[in-house]
Amino acid sequence: MPEEEQVLAALSQHDEHDGSSGDEARDNASTDSAGGSKKRKRGRYQKTSCELCKARKVKCDRAEPACAWCARHNRTCVYLERQKPGSRIGFSLELEAKVNRIDALLQTLGRRVEEHIADGHTGHSQTLSPAISNHTQSHIDLYAQDRSRSSPASGAARNTPSVAAGPPPGLPGQGWDDGDQRLGRMTSQGMNADYTNATLPALRITPLRRGPSALSAGTDLPAQDVVYTLVDLYFKHCNTWSPILDRKTTFSIFFGSTSLNEADRVLLHAIVATTLRFLKDPRFSPEMRAHYHETSRQIVQMYAMEHVSVEALRALVIVCLDELGTSNGPRGWNLLSLLAQNARQLSLCEESSVFLSVETSDDSPMTGAIRRIAIDRPQSWIEDEGRRRLAWMVYLLDRYATIATTTFDFMLDDNKMRRVLPCSYDLFSRDIPVETRSWGSSPDQHGAAGLVVNKPDNLGSFSYHCEILRILSKVHDFLKTPLDITSSSEMAAWRNTYRSLDASLDSWLRGLPGDYSKISALCHSDPASRVANWFMLHSAYVTAVVRLHSSAAYPTVRSHLFVPSHYAMQRCLSAVQSLGDIAQDVYEASGLDHLGPPFIFSLWVAARLLLVHAATVGCPVDPRIEFFIEILAHVGQYWDVADTYANVLARAVQRGRQSDTNFNAMRQSAHGLVTLTASTRQTGVEPTSTQITSLSELDNIDIFDFFNYPKLSESAVQALGAQSQSQNTNGGTARLPDPESDWLGFVPHGA
């Protein structure tokens, strides 16, 4: 694609992000070819699209008194007058200046390419695959042809600062300058006024310090228009459910008049690495995506290893989103360990009121006292709230990753997480100091009695998400405690705690805003990211319900005191049904790309529960599992971990339907392998062994280990005995529990 066409495409995309509809641009650029008078033409195009159609970025029929879309949806239709255009003289001067700057930019790049070829270096092509090198060479040839036809630069253009070395024109990676170079739109006959005035903001980058963490200023980031798109995509697809950045502030830093410092540039790399999955740009081959993703990811991780700061932590959180969305494996756990440790070291888990500052500029080494001055006090409320959101996001990632493994301990202790809840994103972005909700110092206090501050009007979906994860944390710790299922006293205490956690979930659900009950209807009428964020919240609730009630509904080991509960089973199945319904709503509204890894994990939990139910009751698996597999596969085009989950489920369902191994046998196999690997040696001289496992056995562990409960205490193991314990697994006793003799003795809510 010629350079001019790339510029046109970039500027057209930029106009779309600014909310300008395509029909308005065409109207403004149209000529009076029909011979109509100027007066008629001015009257015809005086009225713009209505405000709702502008916000939705669709064509408006401009009907009176309301356009067709507003009339059909019973919405207030508002037309605003078009603003008067600027001076044509100033416009011509601006065009001339832009042409001069672009011409100077092309000549500078041309000289660099010629010097590069003359020196005999392979340059950037050595770091990329052969396919990318060929692509680069084709653009070099194209550039040489264009430059031979270009006119000499004017005096003003010759004084334009040169750009940093980078990929040649056409290859993503160009357009990063150290002055105020701006990308304009060139045509052979002239320029369109609307598109020319909408030039992309320029990134101003200061030279970085040299050393282990110095960053390349040329080839490590895609083209300027691509980066602008990536930042916009981040706020549409990620920041809605991970709201740690303010959109206005972030765009001002990246594309404003000030230069980027090293920390800002690292944050930009984090956004690029995480958001490339959403970019639809024909210029990007898979090799290019892999190159820019790996480059940005490594830059952020190296910077975070060398810097303990809020800025480094924020960038690392965004990269961790990318890693956990790729696979829930060791690399993500390592990043989480670093996140949790840095959050503690920066004292982000508590509401600090006094900060230490060093008076002297002496560079003498310090010991443990440096931890006390690792962070300065926030300079504004929005900065303070940003740190609060950052701490809660580390907490959220820690909860999801730990609960997924079931055996790990949380890296951030709930007793030491003494942050107040974040406010709604609207109040955060408007920089309005507000109070939200906070609890007393006692770790057991939860609910109205333990609240120190309670301002629910200032809470948003992220606030409620943090709240439900506090309850889920209690559920996780509760289910990790070993239990003697043969002891009446222990089972009575267990039942009381179980009911208390169930009541906490119900209380949280009743405390949600009234609009929460309307999210399904809103999804079809306005499938915006803010609506999808409430679906993320509901998925977290489903995860908590299934995690708690599956322990009583589908125990792997039973006793006369501990058998499957009909009430708990119905709670699990109802939660899975509700998650399937909202997933269907979001899919029909084409909003699945707005949902992140937490929603994917909830789908994974719900689909596995259907297999556990089939294994426990001895029935065929619910056909709804096919829907969950399809949804996971669909989301897998953005987040690889979803595709992995879909493949594991598909293999298990196929084995259960086509072979002699039923789901009950799969669950017993997983339980046996987990129990075997949990055994430990009493002395260091005892022999060790290796158990060879197949892919199907590993799939069984992935599916059923999450529901491996109860964890038997030593007294329970002795009471049951080895033979009795094997007989008391759910093998051979698969049946639907009797609701009339439910051992939990629950009374339905509202009865």
Side-chain angles (χ1 to χ4, degrees):
M1 177 185 292
E3 185 71 16
E4 291 86 353
E5 295 183 11
Q6 294 182 20
V7 176
L8 293 179
L11 293 175
S12 176
Q13 185 178 24
H14 175 68
D15 281 351
E16 292 176 2
H17 291 314
D18 283 346
S20 299
S21 59
D23 59 313
E24 290 176 28
R26 288 189 296 270
D27 290 346
N28 291 335
S30 64
T31 61
D32 195 12
S33 59
S37 65
K38 293 184 178 181
K39 183 176 181 181
R40 289 183 57 192
K41 178 182 176 182
R42 191 182 305 115
R44 177 183 175 186
Y45 294 107
Q46 186 66 27
K47 185 173 64 177
T48 66
S49 298
C50 77
E51 295 304 298
L52 286 178
C53 289
K54 283 183 181 179
R56 294 170 54 249
K57 299 183 178 68
V58 299
K59 185 174 181 179
C60 178
D61 61 3
R62 306 177 182 177
E64 292 285 355
C67 69
W69 189 92
C70 292
R72 185 167 60 252
H73 294 83
N74 196 22
R75 305 290 288 272
T76 303
C77 190
V78 179
Y79 294 99
L80 298 181
E81 293 184 0
R82 187 188 302 275
Q83 294 182 355
K84 297 176 63 176
S87 170
R88 305 302 297 174
I89 298 177
F91 171 73
S92 300
L93 295 176
E94 183 181 357
L95 289 184
E96 182 180 357
K98 287 178 180 177
V99 171
N100 291 337
R101 287 198 296 268
I102 293 170
D103 186 76
L105 172 62
L106 292 175
Q107 294 201 30
T108 301
L109 289 174
R111 286 193 299 271
R112 289 183 179 275
V113 172
E114 291 174 351
E115 294 171 359
H116 185 75
I117 296 176
D119 293 339
H121 295 304
T122 58
H124 182 63
S125 61
Q126 288 183 339
T127 64
L128 302 180
S129 66
I132 301 179
S133 300
N134 295 335
H135 182 83
T136 303
Q137 185 60 45
S138 65
H139 280 283
I140 293 176
D141 297 338
L142 177 63
Y143 169 77
Q145 299 173 11
D146 291 341
R147 185 171 177 270
S148 64
R149 297 191 298 264
S150 63
S151 59
S154 63
R158 287 193 296 269
N159 295 329
T160 304
S162 61
V163 298
L171 178 66
Q174 64 163 333
W176 296 95
D177 56 292
D178 57 358
D180 69 330
Q181 304 280 356
R182 292 186 179 271
L183 207 56
R185 174 182 178 177
M186 299 181 297
T187 64
S188 58
Q189 300 298 329
M191 294 190 177
N192 179 284
D194 291 333
Y195 282 107
T196 307
N197 287 329
T199 52
L200 291 176
L203 282 177
R204 303 168 181 270
I205 305 172
T206 56
L208 302 176
R209 67 175 179 85
R210 298 190 178 274
S213 64
L215 309 177
S216 170
T219 64
D220 53 5
L221 285 170
Q224 181 174 323
D225 63 311
V226 176
V227 172
Y228 186 92
T229 301
L230 288 172
V231 176
D232 182 66
L233 288 173
Y234 173 80
F235 282 94
K236 289 181 178 178
H237 296 278
C238 298
N239 203 68
T240 51
W241 51 269
S242 176
I244 59 176
L245 298 179
D246 173 57
R247 179 185 176 92
K248 181 178 179 181
T249 303
T250 304
F251 271 85
S252 176
I253 292 174
F254 290 158
F255 308 107
S257 58
T258 58
S259 300
L260 290 183
N261 57 32
E262 186 177 15
D264 295 334
R265 188 173 173 85
V266 169
L267 177 63
L268 187 59
H269 274 290
I271 292 176
V272 168
T274 303
T275 323
L276 272 171
R277 65 187 76 240
F278 300 107
L279 181 66
K280 298 178 181 179
D281 193 319
R283 293 176 293 173
F284 272 68
S285 65
E287 294 83 5
M288 290 179 186
R289 292 177 184 270
H291 165 72
Y292 285 115
H293 174 271
E294 186 64 18
T295 300
S296 293
R297 185 183 65 83
Q298 290 183 2
I299 287 174
V300 175
Q301 292 183 1
M302 289 300 298
Y303 184 84
M305 289 293 294
E306 296 182 356
H307 299 80
V308 180
S309 64
V310 173
E311 293 77 12
L313 186 64
R314 186 177 291 114
L316 194 62
V317 163
I318 297 176
V319 167
C320 194
L321 301 181
D322 170 73
E323 189 60 48
L324 294 179
T326 303
S327 68
N328 186 18
R331 289 208 316 186
W333 304 336
N334 289 342
L335 289 180
L336 277 174
S337 299
L338 184 59
L339 284 176
Q341 178 59 35
N342 287 357
R344 287 191 295 262
Q345 188 167 341
L346 294 171
S347 300
L348 290 180
C349 297
E350 56 189 18
E351 297 288 343
S352 302
S353 59
V354 178
F355 297 82
L356 296 182
S357 178
V358 181
E359 293 183 355
T360 178
S361 59
D362 188 7
D363 294 332
S364 58
M366 291 177 284
T367 56
I370 189 64
R371 185 182 66 85
R372 300 289 182 180
I373 55 174
I375 186 174
D376 296 329
R377 71 179 183 88
Q379 300 301 313
S380 63
W381 183 86
I382 195 172
E383 182 181 353
D384 191 21
E385 175 67 11
R387 294 181 182 181
R388 188 174 295 112
R389 289 171 170 269
L390 183 61
W392 279 112
M393 196 61 209
V394 176
Y395 178 90
L396 182 146
L397 295 176
D398 176 32
R399 264 46 194 172
Y400 278 109
T402 303
I403 291 169
T405 61
T406 70
T407 56
F408 289 176
D409 294 323
F410 294 125
M411 300 179 192
L412 292 180
D413 193 345
D414 262 301
N415 299 343
K416 298 181 180 179
M417 188 64 185
R418 299 174 181 173
R419 276 286 193 180
V420 301
L421 289 178
C423 67
S424 67
Y425 189 80
D426 180 53
L427 295 174
F428 169 55
S429 60
R430 289 159 54 192
D431 196 9
I432 300 178
V434 293
E435 291 182 329
T436 55
R437 183 176 291 169
S438 62
W439 296 270
S441 58
S442 174
D444 297 329
Q445 289 180 341
H446 188 277
L451 292 177
V452 176
V453 177
N454 186 21
K455 303 288 186 180
D457 292 343
N458 297 328
L459 301 180
S461 57
F462 187 52
S463 317
Y464 292 109
H465 202 156
C466 298
E467 270 195 324
I468 191 66
L469 289 182
R470 290 181 70 98
I471 303 176
L472 184 55
S473 299
K474 290 178 170 53
V475 173
H476 181 76
D477 291 336
F478 167 64
L479 298 182
K480 281 190 60 181
T481 305
L483 177 66
D484 186 355
I485 59 177
T486 64
S487 171
S488 299
S489 59
E490 283 201 29
M491 287 305 303
W494 184 92
R495 189 180 298 114
N496 291 334
T497 305
Y498 179 96
R499 289 174 173 171
S500 175
L501 291 171
D502 184 42
S504 296
L505 289 173
D506 290 340
S507 176
W508 175 87
L509 187 62
R510 291 193 300 269
L512 293 177
D515 290 343
Y516 176 78
S517 60
K518 306 175 184 177
I519 56 174
S520 181
L522 290 174
C523 180
H524 292 285
S525 62
D526 186 18
S529 56
R530 62 180 181 275
V531 178
N533 199 36
W534 284 98
F535 284 119
M536 293 274 291
L537 182 64
H538 184 85
S539 70
Y541 172 74
V542 169
T543 301
V545 168
V546 172
R547 183 69 180 132
L548 173 63
H549 293 293
S550 63
S551 63
Y554 310 101
T556 52
V557 181
R558 306 174 184 178
S559 71
H560 66 288
L561 297 174
F562 200 1
V563 294
S565 164
H566 180 269
Y567 167 83
M569 193 174 291
Q570 294 306 309
R571 287 295 302 270
C572 290
L573 295 176
S574 298
V576 171
Q577 177 66 49
S578 68
L579 184 62
D581 292 341
I582 67 172
Q584 181 71 43
D585 288 339
V586 181
Y587 174 75
E588 292 176 355
S590 301
L592 285 174
D593 54 337
H594 291 291
L595 306 177
F599 186 83
I600 295 170
F601 179 69
S602 298
L603 294 173
W604 169 236
V605 169
R608 288 184 293 170
L609 183 120
L610 296 179
L611 294 177
V612 173
H613 180 79
T616 303
V617 180
C619 63
V621 64
D622 193 313
R624 285 178 298 178
I625 197 169
E626 301 288 353
F627 169 76
F628 283 109
I629 294 175
E630 292 177 3
I631 291 295
L632 284 169
H634 182 81
V635 182
Q637 64 182 309
Y638 306 108
W639 304 97
D640 294 343
V641 69
D643 193 55
T644 302
Y645 291 155
N647 292 333
V648 172
L649 290 169
R651 291 194 297 262
V653 170
Q654 184 178 18
R655 288 194 300 268
R657 291 174 175 172
Q658 298 179 358
S659 66
D660 296 332
T661 303
N662 57 29
F663 297 115
N664 185 28
M666 294 181 188
R667 191 182 188 194
Q668 290 186 51
S669 171
H671 181 261
L673 286 174
V674 171
T675 303
L676 181 64
T677 56
S679 60
T680 58
R681 295 182 288 172
Q682 299 297 320
T683 66
V685 297
E686 290 186 21
T688 60
S689 61
T690 300
Q691 180 74 24
I692 304 299
T693 56
S694 63
L695 176 62
S696 61
E697 289 175 321
L698 294 178
D699 286 346
N700 294 339
I701 294 176
D702 284 338
I703 291 172
F704 294 106
D705 186 45
F706 184 81
F707 304 92
N708 184 16
Y709 190 82
K711 312 293 184 185
L712 296 179
S713 63
E714 293 183 4
S715 59
V717 173
Q718 296 173 359
L720 291 173
Q723 182 178 1
S724 175
Q725 180 179 343
S726 62
Q727 293 175 350
N728 279 306
T729 58
N730 58 356
T733 61
R735 61 182 179 84
L736 196 66
D738 183 10
E740 300 297 331
S741 58
D742 197 320
W743 61 279
L744 284 174
F746 267 95
V747 177
H749 294 287

